[in-house]
C-alpha cells in the first residue's frame, strides 16, 4: 500500500477547516497526513488545534518580512524542506506572489466562501445578502496567480433564506466547508484530481464545469 500523501495546511486564524481536515485524517489515515501547519499570524487559534493533534507547526509572521517575496520565500523553504506533496490554504489571508503560486501550480488548493467568480476577496456573505442573491455557497479551486481566480473544482450551494443574516449565512457555509474540503483533499491524495493546461481533471475526465453539490452532511 502507498504511504499517505504529506500535506501542509496554511492558516491565518481560527482553523476550523484545518480541524475538519485533521478529523478526517484521523478517520481515514490511509489517504493523507497533515505533516505541517504554517500560520502567518503567531496567535492564530489554528496553531493550538494543530499542536493538540501532535502536528508540527510554524509561525512565520509576515510582519517580520520586508516584502511579499521574502515572506513567500521563507514559506517555500519550509514547505520544500518538509517534502510536502500538497498545500492546502484554509483561511490563509495573504496574497501570494506569482513566483510562489507558479512553484506549486497544480499542488495548491484554496477554499473561498462564495460561488466564484462572484465575490472574490472579503465580506462575501454580506455582499451576497446585499445583492439579494438567493443562492450562496463555497468554492474549492486550484490556486493560480490570480487572486481567488484559479480553476474551480467543486462548489457547494447554500440557499439564502429570508431571515438569514451575515452570521447565520457564514455558519451555514462553514458547515458545508467542513465536509467539502476534506473530501476534495482526499480526491487529490488519491490521485483522482489533477490540474492540466489550466483545467481540472477528475477521474481522468476534464471538467467543463465544477462539480456542484448541495447540502452535504458530516460522515
Ligand atoms: C473560511 O470560511 C474560508 O472559506 C475563508 O476563510 C474562512 C476560514 O475559516 N477563506 C477565504 O476567505 C479565502 N479568500 P477557518 O479559519 O475557521 O477555517
Amino acid at each position: 500500500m502507498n504511504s499517505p500523501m504529506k500535506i501542509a495546511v496554511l492558516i491565518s486564524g481560527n482553523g476550523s477547516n484545518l480541524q475538519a481536515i485533521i478529523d478526517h485524517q484521523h478517520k481515514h489515515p490511509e489517504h493523507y497526513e497533515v505533516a505541517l501547519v504554517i500560520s502567518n499570524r503567531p496567535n492564530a487559534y489554528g496553531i493550538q488545534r494543530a499542536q493538540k493533534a501532535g502536528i508540527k507547526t510554524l509561525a512565520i509572521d509576515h510582519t517580520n518580512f520586508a516584502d511579499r517575496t521574502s515572506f513567500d520565500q521563507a514559506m517555500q523553504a519550509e514547505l520544500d524542506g518538509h517534502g510536502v506533496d500538497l498545500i492546502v490554504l484554509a483561511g490563509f489571508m495573504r496574497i501570494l506572489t506569482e513566483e510562489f503560486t507558479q512553484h506549486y501550480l497544480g499542488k495548491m488548493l484554496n477554499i473561498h466562501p462564495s460561488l466564484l467568480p462572484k465575490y472574490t476577496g472579503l465580506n462575501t456573505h454580506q455582499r451576497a445578502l446585499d445583492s439579494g442573491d438567493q443562492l450562496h455557497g463555497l468554492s474549492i479551486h486550484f490556486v493560480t496567480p490570480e487572486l481567488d481566480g484559479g480553476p474551480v473544482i467543486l462548489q457547494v450551494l447554500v440557499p439564502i433564506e429570508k431571515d438569514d443574516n451575515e452570521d447565520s449565512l457564514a455558519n451555514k457555509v462553514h458547515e458545508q466547508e467542513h465536509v467539502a474540503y476534506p473530501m476534495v483533499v482526499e480526491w487529490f491524495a488519491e490521485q483522482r484530481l489533477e490540474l492540466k493546461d489550466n483545467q481540472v481533471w477528475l477521474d481522468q475526465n476534464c471538467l467543463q464545469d465544477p462539480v456542484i453539490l448541495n447540502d452535504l452532511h458530516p460522515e
Side-chain angles (χ1 to χ4, degrees):
M1 200 182 82
N2 294 335
S3 51
M5 183 175 276
K6 275 171 91 168
I7 72 172
V9 182
L10 273 48
I11 59 165
S12 299
N14 179 25
S16 67
N17 279 286
L18 164 67
Q19 188 68 60
I21 289 166
I22 293 171
D23 292 347
H24 190 83
Q25 177 195 321
H26 289 161
K27 282 190 204 142
H28 304 279
E30 67 278 20
H31 296 302
Y32 63 78
E33 176 204 346
V34 181
L36 178 65
V37 170
I38 298 180
S39 173
N40 65 309
R41 293 187 187 279
N43 297 328
Y45 181 58
I47 293 204
Q48 291 181 39
R49 295 181 189 267
Q51 283 169 345
K52 201 168 159 205
I55 297 165
K56 168 146 194 201
T57 60
L58 283 172
I60 305 182
D61 185 345
H62 65 275
T63 63
N64 293 337
F65 292 83
D67 51 28
R68 285 191 196 281
T69 301
S70 52
F71 170 70
D72 283 7
Q73 283 170 348
M75 283 205 302
Q76 189 174 317
E78 291 294 347
L79 292 165
D80 290 351
H82 283 82
V84 295
D85 302 301
L86 173 68
I87 294 156
V88 177
L89 308 183
F92 183 72
M93 305 308 267
R94 292 284 301 165
I95 293 174
L96 295 163
T97 56
E98 171 150 13
E99 292 74 21
F100 187 88
T101 56
Q102 289 292 359
H103 184 72
Y104 297 111
L105 193 65
K107 294 180 171 180
M108 182 154 55
L109 303 176
N110 183 40
I111 190 161
H112 184 75
S114 77
L115 297 175
L116 291 170
K118 277 187 159 184
Y119 315 130
T120 60
L122 301 174
N123 304 319
T124 57
H125 310 300
Q126 190 59 53
R127 286 157 70 200
L129 287 166
D130 291 346
S131 302
D133 292 356
Q134 294 186 331
L135 266 185
H136 186 46
L138 65 96
S139 305
I140 298 171
H141 63 94
F142 279 106
V143 177
T144 62
E146 197 191 335
L147 179 69
D148 298 329
V152 178
I153 301 158
L154 172 124
Q155 294 186 313
V156 183
L157 308 179
V158 174
I160 299 183
E161 318 276 348
K162 275 200 308 296
D163 54 352
D164 268 325
N165 56 34
E166 188 178 11
D167 281 350
S168 65
L169 196 52
N171 286 337
K172 289 180 190 174
V173 171
H174 252 119
E175 239 172 58
Q176 297 295 301
E177 288 186 335
H178 298 159
V179 188
Y181 214 6
M183 181 174 80
V184 173
V185 170
E186 186 179 302
W187 290 350
F188 189 93
E190 290 180 312
Q191 299 181 341
R192 296 174 55 192
L193 186 63
E194 249 188 302
L195 181 73
K196 277 195 279 189
D197 301 325
N198 213 40
Q199 289 190 297
V200 177
W201 289 69
L202 180 62
D203 295 332
Q204 322 289 332
N205 297 309
C206 180
L207 299 188
Q208 301 308 317
D209 297 297
V211 177
I212 308 266
L213 297 175
N214 287 288
D215 201 16
L216 301 179
H217 294 279
E219 285 177 84

